[in-house]
Amino acid sequence: MSVASQAILIGSFVNEIVARIQLEAFDYLDAPIARVGAANGISPQAESLERAFLPSAADIYQAAVSLL
């Protein structure tokens, strides 16, 4: 299972979702939950830099593959 968001992972809502899943369904999970999010830092305003900052489809795919 993986959770993806455009927010940075530190202090984000993604962490709350993962924590709740771990709390409620830990016994049913076969692997840890992967988290995919933006790079830690302040979101850039330039579109070219934003593409590097935000997670891409490839990042989400790599997180899913790493769980196999």
Side-chain angles (χ1 to χ4, degrees), residues 26-67:
F26 180 77
D27 293 335
Y28 304 104
L29 297 174
D30 293 330
I33 300 170
R35 299 177 306 148
V36 179
N40 292 329
I42 298 171
S43 176
Q45 299 303 309
E47 185 178 344
S48 59
L49 295 174
E50 191 175 64
R51 275 189 242 116
F53 178 76
L54 295 175
S56 66
D59 296 331
I60 296 169
Y61 175 78
Q62 287 292 32
V65 168
S66 72
L67 295 175

Side-chain angles (χ1 to χ4, degrees), residues 11-28:
S12 71
F13 189 66
V14 172
N15 287 335
E16 180 61 30
I17 292 171
V18 171
R20 183 63 59 98
I21 292 170
Q22 292 275 35
L23 181 66
E24 300 292 332
F26 180 77
D27 293 335
Y28 304 104

